[in-house]
Amino acid sequence: MNQKSSQIPFQLPLKNQYNWQDFITSSCNKTAFKAITSWPDWPFFALLVFGPSGCGKTHLAHIFSDCINLKLKRPISTYFIKAKDINMKKLEYIAKNYSCLVIEDVTASVNEEALFHLFNLYQSKKGYILFTAQVPFGRMNFKLKDLSSRLKQVPAVAISEPDDEMLEALIVKLFSDRQIAISSEALNYIIQNMERSFSYASKLVSKIDEISLAQKRSVSVPIIKEAMHLLNQNVQQELF
């Protein structure tokens, strides 16, 4: 690598775009999108959307919040909380002040007692909960059997890894978020050679942008090759 590419460029923080019009639908997420936007005609008071990192679960959660306000005469706020931040002290406040709740990134390490009580509170008060996670509840080894049995009642919809149609649209959007125009040649090279995952797409665009800024060059196939090489090196180092 030349000296220029080792420089650390200054980067402004990216703004997340969680608008309806910015959400890309494809075969991998169409079912999840339909389930979210069918609210309040859910078969249960809760819903789980699960899928790999970077697949758009948080974006869908914000669409859920927007959907509520579009379908109600009076707007209400949705409470967003990471599963790791749930504790017994917050339960009454959340349940009292918010009829719609988003619990993100649920894992088996969650405070099980607090989640159990929160689940019961929303079910009894006829509120709504949207859960997000990387795997379905059935693959989480909860110690609290009552919690496990309740969560297994929750309908779940999956988001799978992206197909080529989604990857192409996603790559264009990720570059657009950084105000970068990408040529068809560069885009085709990425699609033909990249790992098929949401998380890799995000890492790749970030690395390409980093190298491009450091070298003060526009995005090109050589820069893309260098970014892919560096990402592959990082993966190899993590294995040992």
Side-chain angles (χ1 to χ4, degrees), residues 12 19 22 59 67 85 92 116-117 123 126 136 139 141 147 163 169-170 174 179 183 185 189 199-200 225 231:
L12 294 173
N19 300 319
D22 292 315
H59 197 155
C67 182
D85 296 327
E92 293 298 332
F116 173 72
H117 286 294
Q123 188 168 30
K126 298 186 181 345
R139 289 175 55 189
N141 297 317
L147 173 64
D163 53 21
L170 178 62
L174 289 171
Q179 299 183 327
S183 68
E185 179 191 14
Y189 185 87
S199 60
Y200 184 86
K225 287 181 178 179
L231 289 180

Side-chain angles (χ1 to χ4, degrees), residues 134-151:
Q134 290 200 16
V135 298
F137 290 138
R139 289 175 55 189
M140 300 183 197
N141 297 317
F142 295 108
K143 297 176 182 177
L144 191 61
K145 299 302 180 186
D146 285 341
L147 173 64
S148 181
S149 64
R150 280 166 171 73
L151 291 180

Side-chain angles (χ1 to χ4, degrees), residues 167-180:
L167 278 176
E168 185 170 331
L170 178 62
I171 292 296
V172 170
K173 181 183 184 302
L174 289 171
F175 277 114
S176 177
D177 288 346
R178 295 169 179 270
Q179 299 183 327
I180 298 172

Side-chain angles (χ1 to χ4, degrees), residues 27 34 39 77 99 175 219 230:
S27 57
K34 185 177 179 180
W39 183 93
S77 297
S99 58
F175 277 114
V219 174
L230 290 172

